[in-house]
Amino acid sequence: MLKLNSSRFIIFILAAVVSSCTVRKHPFNFNKNIDNTFLQNVISKSKSILATEKNATSARVYKAGFLQGWMEQNHFVDWAVLSKQRKNEFTSYNRGGKSEYDVYLILFDAKSGNKNSFLFFTVQRPWLDTDTATGFSPFYYGILDNRASGPYLLADETFSITTEGTTYTPSNRKNNKLYFLLDKQYGSNFKSDSLRIEKVVLPQDNQLSDNKALVISVDDVLGDKVSLIMRYEDTIILKP
């Protein structure tokens, strides 16, 4: 496991955050705010070259969760962030969590032989508060693909969301290129019960490797093989 700063950093890096999140509280509930209208808007107004599917009738929602709480490490008790699947590792010093991080992967069904498109983002919220958000990662949009080397998510568009009351609208769309490599031991297609991100590849210029592709290993950074397992949650009907 990692201490708070490192854990928060990698959770958001894996969602490809390149700027700090807002600390303002927003009224937010995934089931209410990321709805049919929002998702249709993402598809229909996307500038993605890869994700050309505009007539999806449903979307499958996958989710992974992280919890921030007290943890004993190296003879000290400090805030740490763990996958919720490992939350039993928090010590008895834990008097309640501080923040939670919900990582969402949404797969849109493809028609006419197109590849399934996806939407990937992270929501930070206060502990046990499912109706409030304190920060959002950028939203990444692209396709689910599979080659001989294995399945992966390829994003070529990122956008932010603007808020007006409880209405969330995509804005500031930009072109990018980002690969999320999936673990072959888990599902690799649209109907899978779970998908796990194993590595992240940043082929664009970055501060660490100049113009060389930077590879981030989830196993190495988070130190376990249960983090970022995206479990199937529900299906959202987009069109009757």
Side-chain angles (χ1 to χ4, degrees):
M1 77 295 300
L2 301 178
K3 289 188 177 181
L4 173 60
N5 290 341
S6 298
S7 298
R8 285 185 60 183
F9 176 75
I10 192 58
I11 290 171
F12 281 102
I13 280 293
L14 290 170
V17 171
V18 293
S19 61
S20 61
C21 291
T22 177
V23 295
R24 297 192 309 271
K25 288 187 176 182
H26 302 277
F28 176 85
N29 180 285
F30 177 86
N31 294 325
K32 296 178 182 177
N33 299 106
I34 307 299
D35 56 9
N36 183 320
T37 301
F38 180 92
L39 295 179
Q40 288 283 16
N41 197 20
V42 171
I43 295 176
S44 63
K45 296 183 180 180
S46 169
K47 296 181 180 179
S48 170
I49 298 174
L50 298 173
T52 57
E53 175 57 47
K54 307 296 182 182
N55 297 309
T57 58
S58 64
R60 290 173 61 87
V61 179
Y62 293 79
K63 179 182 176 183
F66 291 82
L67 173 67
Q68 176 184 338
W70 287 104
M71 186 155 193
E72 183 177 347
Q73 300 182 94
N74 300 322
H75 308 292
F76 292 94
V77 176
D78 198 0
W79 288 107
V81 175
L82 286 178
S83 166
K84 287 186 178 179
Q85 296 181 71
R86 299 181 64 191
K87 64 182 179 181
N88 60 319
E89 296 187 20
F90 287 113
T91 71
S92 58
Y93 294 99
N94 184 19
R95 298 186 297 273
K98 189 173 184 180
S99 293
E100 295 189 55
Y101 302 87
D102 296 325
V103 184
Y104 288 99
L105 171 63
I106 301 176
L107 295 182
F108 299 93
D109 65 318
K111 305 298 179 184
S112 304
N114 291 332
K115 297 183 185 299
N116 296 106
S117 56
F118 77 91
L119 184 66
F120 185 55
F121 61 97
T122 299
V123 178
Q124 180 180 352
R125 58 183 176 83
W127 184 60
L128 296 180
D129 185 350
T130 58
D131 293 317
T132 303
T134 54
F136 298 91
S137 75
F139 287 60
Y140 275 76
Y141 187 61
I143 59 169
L144 169 65
D145 206 347
N146 200 327
R147 295 180 180 175
S149 58
Y152 62 92
L153 303 167
L154 171 55
D156 70 334
E157 180 184 64
T158 183
F159 63 88
S160 304
I161 54 174
T162 58
T163 63
E164 184 175 347
T166 57
T167 301
Y168 290 77
T169 306
S171 65
N172 195 27
R173 296 183 186 269
K174 297 180 181 179
N175 296 327
N176 70 280
K177 198 169 187 180
L178 183 74
Y179 293 85
F180 298 94
L181 307 186
L182 301 178
D183 192 333
K184 292 181 180 180
Q185 297 182 24
Y186 293 84
S188 61
N189 58 59
F190 182 71
K191 294 296 184 180
S192 297
D193 291 331
S194 62
L195 297 166
R196 178 180 180 267
I197 295 174
E198 183 177 30
K199 295 181 180 180
V200 181
V201 180
L202 304 168
Q204 65 266 31
D205 290 351
N206 58 77
Q207 295 179 351
L208 296 179
S209 61
D210 193 24
N211 60 351
K212 298 178 182 178
L214 174 65
V215 179
I216 301 173
S217 170
V218 174
D219 290 353
D220 292 344
V221 176
L222 294 180
D224 66 78
K225 292 183 177 295
V226 301
S227 296
L228 282 181
I229 299 176
M230 316 294 293
R231 303 290 189 187
Y232 170 73
E233 291 273 316
D234 196 6
T235 295
I236 299 175
I237 302 301
L238 302 177
K239 296 179 180 179

